[in-house]
Amino acid sequence: MSRGLPLLHRRRILVSGAIGGITCAAVVVGAAMAGQDDGSGDANASTKAAQTISCPAVAGSLPEIPAEARAEVDRNLALLDTQIAEADKRLGTSQGEGGPNFVQNAILGPLADKRKSTLDRIAISIGRRAEKPTGLDALAECTLSGGEAGAGTGAGGEADSGATPTAAASEPADGGAEQGSGAEQGGGADAGSGTDEGSAQTISCPDVASKISGVPAAARVEVDRNLALLDTQIAEADKRLGTSQGEGGPNFVQNAILGPLKDKRASTIDRIELSFSRQGSTAPSGLDALAGCSLTSG
């Protein structure tokens, strides 16, 4: 009996030690796996953060610029750089927002619209004093580079920057240059509430047609076409608003619907103003202030 007790104690000690060792090992393994998961998340975040927007270079594709047009052309070339920088910033601050088409619908599409209008102004500036360059529209589309570059669906990234414009007209004569960007078709948006109240909201935009008068006869068709495009843009954005309840974060409507819509409207209004200037007339002032839209409750 006296010899059995120590042996029993020794067995208990051994069993307790084994259990303690297994517990420690489990803790160590768990910590290691957690570290691996954290590292993976950091790697994914770094990959996304490494993405940047790449656009075709424009300056090298321009013909000789008349001295009288130099200041205006340089100003618009600088604007192209500003547009890319703003889109890059938006890309960096919007991680995790939207659906699979968010980048195209809320960033790349609107950027292409802005670039088209700016390129059109460059072509017109040169065309007033020399032969107007053609094909600059081909340089409007941008793509994502670095990280998950395949997420972007735009065409004509930096690799194409050396391309020479073709005979495609830089002036959007059909008035629908922005419709192909799809900036509002499938972007997904939500006011953040996710309630039935959100579904009753509609998009309200300032009326542009009532602010336009004295349209030159030669510009009437193009002006009317762009006014119709403004209506189409609102209808598309309204449809997207109604089908995207529950998507995105608290700023998603602004980022994925209202913001892109404003960009598209600004580009279309800009083309209306250009229609006047091509005929030697002056467009009504203050049209740019009509680009922004808001939500109204039904």
Side-chain angles (χ1 to χ4, degrees), residues 198-292:
S199 63
Q201 292 179 314
T202 58
I203 294 174
S204 175
C205 301
D207 181 51
V208 176
S210 63
K211 306 297 182 182
I212 295 177
S213 61
V215 180
R220 171 56 65 183
V221 172
E222 187 174 359
V223 169
D224 287 346
R225 188 160 47 233
N226 280 292
L227 288 173
L229 179 57
L230 289 172
D231 292 336
T232 299
Q233 292 164 352
I234 297 173
E236 290 174 348
D238 251 335
K239 180 180 179 181
R240 189 63 196 128
L241 179 67
T243 59
S244 62
Q245 296 302 316
E247 296 183 20
N251 298 318
F252 204 62
V253 165
Q254 179 60 42
N255 294 335
I257 293 188
L258 292 182
L261 176 59
K262 180 179 179 180
D263 293 337
K264 291 169 74 72
R265 283 174 58 84
S267 295
T268 305
I269 290 172
D270 194 29
R271 285 204 297 272
I272 291 174
E273 293 174 334
L274 290 172
S275 299
F276 278 79
S277 65
R278 290 189 192 106
Q279 307 304 323
S281 300
T282 301
S285 60
L287 295 183
D288 288 346
L290 305 178

Side-chain angles (χ1 to χ4, degrees), residues 14-292:
L14 289 173
V15 170
S16 299
I19 293 174
I22 292 171
T23 302
C24 293
V27 171
V28 171
V29 171
M33 293 178 66
Q36 289 177 351
D37 290 341
D38 291 342
S40 175
D42 292 342
N44 290 336
S46 298
T47 298
K48 292 180 179 179
Q51 288 181 306
T52 58
I53 293 175
S54 177
C55 302
V58 175
S61 298
L62 297 177
E64 184 176 354
I65 301 172
E68 300 86 349
R70 170 58 67 181
E72 187 174 359
V73 170
D74 287 346
R75 186 164 52 248
N76 281 291
L77 288 174
L79 179 58
L80 290 172
D81 291 336
T82 299
Q83 292 165 352
I84 297 173
E86 290 174 348
D88 253 333
K89 181 179 179 180
R90 179 75 190 95
L91 179 67
T93 58
S94 63
Q95 296 300 326
E97 293 187 21
N101 297 320
F102 175 79
V103 171
Q104 176 61 37
N105 295 332
I107 299 178
L108 292 182
L111 176 59
D113 294 335
K114 291 180 180 179
R115 285 173 61 85
K116 285 174 184 175
S117 290
T118 306
L119 291 168
D120 195 29
R121 286 196 296 271
I122 290 174
I124 291 174
S125 298
I126 296 174
R128 291 193 187 107
R129 283 94 181 181
E131 183 178 354
K132 181 180 177 181
T134 59
L136 294 184
D137 275 357
L139 307 177
E141 301 287 341
C142 302
T143 59
L144 293 184
S145 63
E148 299 171 350
T153 57
E158 197 61 39
D160 297 328
S161 61
T164 301
T166 62
S170 67
E171 294 182 29
D174 60 358
E178 296 177 52
Q179 291 178 322
S181 70
E184 296 166 357
Q185 300 173 3
D190 178 62
S193 63
T195 64
D196 292 338
E197 181 182 355
S199 63
Q201 292 179 314
T202 58
I203 294 174
S204 175
C205 301
D207 181 51
V208 176
S210 63
K211 306 297 182 182
I212 295 177
S213 61
V215 180
R220 171 56 65 183
V221 172
E222 187 174 359
V223 169
D224 287 346
R225 188 160 47 233
N226 280 292
L227 288 173
L229 179 57
L230 289 172
D231 292 336
T232 299
Q233 292 164 352
I234 297 173
E236 290 174 348
D238 251 335
K239 180 180 179 181
R240 189 63 196 128
L241 179 67
T243 59
S244 62
Q245 296 302 316
E247 296 183 20
N251 298 318
F252 204 62
V253 165
Q254 179 60 42
N255 294 335
I257 293 188
L258 292 182
L261 176 59
K262 180 179 179 180
D263 293 337
K264 291 169 74 72
R265 283 174 58 84
S267 295
T268 305
I269 290 172
D270 194 29
R271 285 204 297 272
I272 291 174
E273 293 174 334
L274 290 172
S275 299
F276 278 79
S277 65
R278 290 189 192 106
Q279 307 304 323
S281 300
T282 301
S285 60
L287 295 183
D288 288 346
L290 305 178

